[in-house]
Amino acid sequence: MTKKIFRSTCLVALLVFFSSLVLIMGVLYDYFSDVLLHQLKMQTSLVSQGVSTEGIRYFDGLDEEHYRITWMDASGRILYDSQSDSASMENHLEREEIRQALAEGYGESNRYSATLMERSFYSAKRLDDGSILRLGTTHGTIFILLLGMSQPIFLVFAIAIILSVVLAARLSSNIVKPFNTLDLDNPLDTAHYEELSPLLRRIASQQSQLKLKEAQLQQKQEELHAVISNMKEGMILLSADGTILSINPAAAALLNTALDTDSFVKHPQAGTPLSASCNNRTLIHAADSALAGNPQEQKAVFDSRHYQITASPVLSEGTVSGAALLLLDITEKEKAEQMRREFTANVSHELKTPLHVISGYAELIKNNMVKEADICPFADKIYTEAQRMAKLVEDIMNLSRLDEGAGDMQFEPLDLYDAAASAVRSLSPEACDAGVTVELSGDAAVINGIPQLLSGIVYNLCDNAIKYNRRGGSVAVSIQDKPDQAVLTVRDTGIGILPEHQEHIFERFYRVDKSHSKQLGGTGLGLSIVKHAVMIHHAQIFLHSVLAEGTVVTIVFPKTSPNP
Ligand code: ADP
């Protein structure tokens, strides 16, 4: 752009220079021609007066270099000529200025020489006697003038060229300067040409739009990055040849691959194939299958945790351009499945035993195979087993409700001491039968709880403390009211629990001594129900037990228990 402006400016300057030169020369040439003609006319008039007065004698001794003087009679015969021999000169009557002077008294004309190098000016005047006096002079044509002035013209031309170049260079750089100093990030803040305003306003508005879009894009990228980087699920993106393109920290941890940054978009080793970064055959097989265009869902074990691998091909214009692998931790789900299977098997087993007993005794009675005296004990046996079944079914139903979160139950303020007193009261026959004394101590402690669950907690703990006690033993139930907590403690002097069983007794159907528990009417679900109910109350449970000395179960309830 600078070059173009420079060239144009130089060209314009030179054109202006040449046109001015031609114009000035032309005007000057015309002006001086007029001046010359005027002088010629005056001289003609002066010489005419001299010739009229003195006749041919006027020319004697006349030394005239600048003008050619010709005097002729009315017939055109030359009487005198200052430059040529008048006798040898041709008749001049046909000359324009002569004809004009003969006709009008005065005439003038000018003619170019044959070589166009000179121009002759003539002025003719008719004298009173009818003769004609003509004065002529010559001067160079405009070409001669230019030729004569060539030196100064070249000097001026050279100066003009230098000036044009210097000024054009400065001018073009000055014109271009605002363009070069434009701050395109803040186009409206810089000084610029007024003509550029619409363009710069457009650039500014487009730039603000671009910035906005960039910010939105950046935000979305950061959100996506944050989600993918922080999600527990592993995510791996593969190229069409099975090379890892991206891997998030969760997946990298599973593959034992160190990421060079915590960024999802960085891959651990550029161009590393998945098969080189991991040795899990299931994952590699799923990836290969997805890269072949077949989506896959597989289960795999990483570091003794179960994962579901979802491998999907990434299609671009109908062809597989890569694969996306999602690794979902399903350990808990698997555990829950396992527990459900075990629970179903346990329930069936637990129900089968009393059912067999009931149907066996009932069959004997039906077939009259029981003596009259034994019917009553048999019926008692059937009743006991039916009661056990009923208790089992009730416990299972309670547990199922708790598994679902007890959403239908309402929290309300209630006194833990009242709940404990009610449980102790209702268990006094069992305590009496077992020869165990039960004592309740402490203060009223109001907590936010679900009445039936709270009763279940206290009842089950007290029931166990009585059941697994020794004759003559004791159970101490105490309630402590603290500023933020209410503490329920059930302490017995019973058989105690070995440390290896302590962590399992809250599992479903877990019993330290199965036959002893069954004999005492236990279902193996009591402490599971307690554990769930405690969780729903956001409380904490602590167990301390010494074999043959006794067991202490402590539950700490927060007073501000939120709704489940
Ligand atoms: P169960 O219906 O058999 O009592 P629980 O879930 O209430 O089932 O208890 C599980 C097991 O924990 C019991 O079978 C018993 O062996 C043991 N256990 C629970 N409470 C006590 C306790 N206070 N003292 C000794 N053992 C206990």
Side-chain angles (χ1 to χ4, degrees):
M1 188 174 178
T2 315
K3 278 183 187 168
K4 196 164 182 186
I5 295 173
F6 173 77
R7 276 201 299 268
S8 306
T9 314
C10 278
L11 200 72
V12 168
L14 291 177
L15 273 175
V16 169
F17 172 76
F18 275 117
S19 356
S20 309
L21 185 73
V22 169
L23 210 69
I24 289 167
M25 291 299 283
V27 169
L28 281 180
Y29 187 76
D30 271 1
Y31 173 74
F32 286 120
S33 298
D34 285 350
V35 169
L36 192 75
L37 214 58
H38 183 68
Q39 280 180 347
L40 193 66
K41 191 176 178 181
M42 275 171 52
Q43 290 294 335
T44 308
S45 181
L46 284 172
V47 175
S48 304
Q49 278 176 15
V51 173
S52 296
T53 318
E54 296 179 38
I56 191 93
R57 283 195 312 280
Y58 175 78
F59 299 112
D60 291 343
L62 187 70
D63 184 20
E64 180 53 64
E65 288 175 1
H66 298 293
Y67 299 103
R68 179 181 180 181
I69 303 171
T70 311
W71 186 34
M72 65 196 82
D73 62 13
S75 64
R77 186 172 59 88
I78 305 298
L79 303 174
Y80 171 79
D81 188 89
S82 60
Q83 286 182 4
S84 302
D85 178 18
S86 44
S88 61
M89 286 177 65
E90 61 185 36
N91 192 299
H92 274 47
L93 278 183
E94 286 311 306
R95 301 285 162 89
E96 190 187 339
E97 69 279 1
I98 304 294
R99 277 195 283 118
Q100 214 178 337
L102 279 172
E104 297 165 19
Y106 179 76
E108 58 187 34
S109 73
N110 62 79
R111 289 186 283 280
Y112 287 97
S113 68
T115 54
L116 291 178
M117 296 302 259
E118 282 188 335
R119 194 176 174 194
S120 304
F121 291 85
Y122 297 101
S123 159
K125 188 172 164 69
R126 191 180 65 205
L127 303 185
D128 294 339
D129 59 356
S131 63
I132 303 289
L133 182 76
R134 185 186 77 169
L135 259 72
T137 186
T138 57
H139 74 98
T141 58
I142 195 159
F143 301 107
I144 297 299
L145 193 67
L146 281 174
L147 219 58
M149 290 177 73
S150 58
Q151 254 187 350
I153 284 175
F154 273 119
L155 190 68
V156 173
F157 181 62
I159 292 169
I161 282 186
I162 292 166
L163 273 178
S164 301
V165 168
V166 172
L167 291 178
R170 289 190 65 176
L171 196 70
S172 51
S173 81
N174 277 349
I175 291 172
V176 171
K177 198 174 172 188
F179 290 98
N180 291 334
T181 54
L182 262 186
D183 179 7
L184 286 176
D185 289 330
N186 307 293
L188 296 179
D189 293 353
T190 39
H192 55 75
Y193 297 116
E194 209 174 295
E195 291 79 358
L196 283 178
S197 289
L199 177 70
L200 294 181
R201 272 201 298 274
R202 185 84 183 265
I203 290 174
S205 104
Q206 283 185 345
Q207 222 151 37
S208 68
Q209 280 178 8
L210 271 177
K211 275 182 191 159
L212 190 72
K213 289 219 167 98
E214 199 180 303
Q216 286 172 343
L217 206 69
Q218 176 83 11
Q219 194 189 345
K220 282 204 174 128
Q221 257 181 353
E222 278 169 11
E223 282 170 11
L224 186 72
H225 173 250
V227 169
I228 292 175
S229 296
N230 294 312
M231 69 186 199
K232 278 190 279 173
E233 293 79 16
M235 195 159 185
I236 305 169
L237 286 182
L238 299 178
S239 67
D241 61 355
T243 305
I244 298 174
L245 291 176
S246 319
I247 179 166
N248 74 343
L254 287 180
L255 266 58
N256 291 325
T257 308
L259 286 179
D260 51 359
T261 71
D262 64 347
S263 163
F264 173 66
V265 292
K266 298 277 180 181
H267 45 79
Q269 294 125 23
T272 307
L274 178 69
S275 50
S277 301
C278 117
N279 52 12
N280 188 298
R281 301 231 56 80
T282 318
L283 181 67
I284 294 170
H285 173 73
D288 287 346
S289 179
L291 288 172
N294 307 314
Q296 279 278 315
E297 287 218 345
Q298 299 268 354
K299 283 180 185 171
V301 178
F302 291 90
D303 295 337
S304 70
R305 290 193 73 82
H306 296 262
Y307 283 84
Q308 176 166 317
I309 301 167
T310 307
S312 316
V314 176
L315 297 175
S316 145
E317 293 173 2
T319 54
V320 179
S321 60
L325 308 179
L326 188 70
L327 290 96
L328 199 64
D329 189 343
I330 52 164
T331 312
E332 299 307 320
K333 199 176 145 200
E334 287 283 296
K335 265 192 196 161
E337 279 284 306
Q338 179 71 15
M339 272 176 66
R340 195 185 56 74
R341 281 196 294 273
E342 282 175 10
F343 184 68
T344 313
N346 279 331
V347 167
S348 321
H349 180 73
E350 295 291 331
L351 285 174
K352 213 165 66 185
T353 317
L355 266 176
H356 277 151
V357 174
I358 291 168
S359 80
Y361 283 121
E363 193 178 8
L364 286 175
I365 293 170
K366 190 187 95 180
N367 294 333
N368 286 326
M369 292 170 74
V370 183
K371 284 187 257 171
E372 191 73 29
D374 287 338
I375 287 184
C376 220
F378 272 42
D380 185 53
K381 200 81 181 152
I382 290 171
Y383 175 74
T384 309
E385 291 302 324
Q387 283 296 104
R388 178 200 293 282
M389 269 180 66
K391 170 91 170 62
L392 191 65
V393 170
E394 194 190 322
D395 278 357
I396 290 167
M397 284 172 69
N398 282 339
L399 207 53
S400 303
R401 280 179 78 189
L402 293 177
D403 274 344
E404 282 159 21
D408 56 333
M409 298 179 187
Q410 290 296 316
F411 276 78
E412 57 186 72
L414 48 91
D415 187 355
L416 194 57
Y417 189 90
D418 280 353
S422 158
V424 168
R425 248 194 324 275
S426 62
L427 280 167
S428 60
E430 281 84 352
C432 202
D433 287 351
V436 175
T437 52
V438 183
E439 272 180 29
L440 173 65
S441 62
D443 317 302
V446 178
I447 61 163
N448 198 27
I450 299 168
Q452 55 267 52
L453 296 191
L454 215 57
S455 304
I457 292 171
V458 190
Y459 186 91
N460 273 308
L461 292 180
C462 292
D463 186 33
N464 282 351
I466 295 167
K467 274 195 302 186
Y468 304 107
N469 216 315
R470 57 185 167 77
R471 194 153 276 278
S474 66
V475 174
V477 182
S478 74
I479 309 294
Q480 279 177 276
D481 187 24
K482 292 187 176 177
D484 299 329
Q485 299 165 333
V487 183
L488 163 72
T489 310
V490 179
R491 179 189 302 270
D492 67 60
T493 54
I495 57 172
I497 308 160
L498 275 171
E500 62 259 37
H501 293 298
Q502 287 179 15
E503 58 178 308
H504 296 296
I505 58 169
F506 293 97
E507 292 170 12
R508 291 165 194 209
F509 296 111
Y510 191 88
R511 284 167 283 204
V512 176
D513 182 344
K514 204 163 186 174
S515 58
H516 184 215
S517 163
K518 274 190 175 176
Q519 198 189 335
L520 295 170
T523 59
L525 293 175
L527 286 183
S528 293
I529 293 172
V530 168
K531 188 177 91 174
H532 271 75
V534 163
M535 270 163 55
I536 287 169
H537 281 88
H538 298 278
Q540 285 177 293
I541 189 163
F542 302 96
L543 174 82
H544 175 75
S545 185
V546 179
L547 196 67
E549 280 187 20
T551 303
V552 183
V553 181
T554 310
I555 301 179
V556 181
F557 292 93
K559 280 203 171 164
T560 50
S561 169
N563 280 334

